[in-house]
Amino acid sequence: MLLRPALLPALGVFAVAARHQNFAHAAEELHLTASAVSHHVRKLEDLLGTMLFQRHARGVRLTAEGRQLADAAAAALGDLNAVAGNLHPHADIVPLRITTIRSLSYCWLVPRLARFTAQHPQVRIELQTSTELVRFDENGPELGIRYGLGQWPGLRAHHLMDDELCPVASPALAGVSALHEPAQIAALPLISDMSPQGWRDWFRAAGVRGLTLPSLHTFSDSTDAMRAAVYGIGAVLARKHIAQPYLQRYELVRLPGPALKARYAYYVVHAEHRPLSPTALAFMDWLKREALDERTPIPALPDELLGRP
């Protein structure tokens, strides 16, 4: 048997009456009279050919059949409410979709995000990490943070911060404590993250000539290369902004030699044809302020946890 659309109001009234198991309370919630609630329930019972409530002097109680229908009605109404909530999200909640590379997200952006969300509690961050330059269409991210020369077709780029390369290694790596000159670094096992500038460029900038580089450990992702260095696999030529949290925690230390200015820089990018929302503009301004602070935030801990091992 199919419920006709005209009987859906009766089903809705029944669901409220079943939740209260009291027609008067259901009537109060629905702004109806108790007799109107009873009429809707009777109409539904007549259609289904079964009793949904047992009536007695002290009120009503669901029958077994009524309980089955009440459970189904509550589940259906819950699904409808969930869909309706997605169709009309809360007016005070604002989504902001961002894309960036994993290394910057892990080491620089995510540790700072709590500062932004504290200032803008209504914003919900949707962060995507990818090495590919994703589409900045209506269904894609509104802002991106990329590492490059600042020129991407169809995108407007705003300079965020420059970077520099320096050699780092775990303080526990054998031979690190005895290093005094850049040339001595070549005796360590070396790690490459496949960046455009590598160890050969750095040794040249350090004035080390005629050097034969050893075979390198190679990682396609800078985050993995940094973690490999932390665990003592070798020394890595790291970008300053990526290495900073590891240096602060003394998981890595700077090795002798100069910092080499990176050819690439970090840029905030967005589609040229798409006006930025006020939230995206606020986030971009916040990013530029954060770029002035080189220190990585330390996670806050409750007082009762401070000092615990």
Side-chain angles (χ1 to χ4, degrees):
M1 178 184 295
L2 295 176
L3 290 173
R4 297 191 301 272
L7 287 171
L8 291 178
L11 186 61
V13 171
F14 163 74
V16 177
R19 175 156 47 81
H20 287 286
Q21 295 207 52
N22 185 295
F23 286 179
H25 293 168
E28 185 178 352
E29 178 178 329
L30 294 168
H31 303 288
L32 297 173
T33 64
S35 61
V37 171
S38 179
H39 173 75
H40 281 294
V41 172
R42 286 288 188 191
K43 188 176 181 180
L44 196 58
E45 288 176 328
D46 290 344
L47 171 68
L48 297 174
T50 188
M51 295 291 292
L52 301 175
F53 286 98
Q54 292 177 344
R55 278 84 169 171
H56 50 80
R58 291 177 296 178
V60 295
R61 185 172 62 189
L62 283 168
T63 63
E65 294 80 8
R67 171 55 61 193
Q68 292 181 53
L69 185 61
D71 290 343
L77 290 172
D79 290 343
L80 289 172
N81 282 331
V83 172
N86 289 332
L87 293 176
H88 301 283
H90 297 294
D92 59 341
I93 298 300
V94 182
L96 177 61
R97 294 189 291 272
I98 309 158
T99 178
T100 188
I101 51 179
R102 178 170 172 249
S103 56
L104 188 72
S105 172
Y106 184 86
C107 295
W108 190 86
L109 180 58
V110 170
R112 290 168 162 76
L113 272 181
R115 294 174 176 169
F116 180 81
T117 57
Q119 297 170 19
H120 304 272
Q122 79 284 5
V123 176
R124 293 297 177 267
I125 301 293
E126 298 177 21
L127 180 62
Q128 307 166 7
T129 57
S130 172
T131 56
E132 303 297 328
L133 196 61
V134 300
R135 292 175 60 87
F136 287 78
D137 55 22
E138 292 300 322
N139 296 317
E142 190 171 5
L143 286 177
I145 310 172
R146 289 290 152 180
Y147 186 62
L149 296 174
Q151 298 175 343
W152 292 274
L155 296 179
R156 181 168 298 169
H158 305 262
H159 179 266
L160 180 61
M161 55 189 178
D162 294 319
D163 215 338
E164 57 188 29
L165 307 173
C166 57
V168 297
S170 166
L173 180 64
V176 164
S177 60
L179 294 178
H180 302 289
E181 301 292 338
Q184 295 174 306
I185 296 174
L188 299 175
L190 301 182
I191 296 171
S192 168
D193 63 0
M194 301 177 66
S195 293
Q197 290 169 279
W199 280 109
R200 195 171 301 281
D201 300 286
W202 183 84
F203 278 117
R204 188 180 301 115
V208 180
R209 307 290 179 180
L211 182 68
T212 301
L213 286 178
S215 179
L216 306 178
H217 299 292
T218 304
F219 294 83
S220 62
D221 186 273
S222 298
T223 306
D224 292 334
M226 297 296 298
R227 297 296 290 168
V230 167
Y231 283 98
I233 292 178
V236 66
L237 188 62
R239 301 200 298 274
K240 177 182 66 175
H241 296 296
I242 304 304
Q244 186 60 38
Y246 299 102
L247 295 171
Q248 286 180 208
R249 296 191 298 263
Y250 201 61
E251 293 177 321
L252 296 173
V253 294
R254 279 282 304 266
L255 303 182
L260 172 64
K261 180 174 171 52
R263 296 193 197 109
Y264 290 177
Y266 293 99
Y267 293 85
V268 184
V269 298
H270 60 88
E272 288 181 335
H273 67 278
R274 184 179 173 189
L276 288 179
S277 67
T279 302
L281 288 169
F283 189 78
M284 186 162 61
D285 289 340
W286 173 81
L287 283 172
K288 292 178 179 179
R289 292 194 300 272
E290 286 293 323
L292 302 176
D293 184 0
E294 295 186 357
R295 298 284 296 177
T296 301
I298 298 173
L301 290 175
D303 291 341
E304 60 269 21
L305 292 181
L306 293 176
R308 288 190 179 183

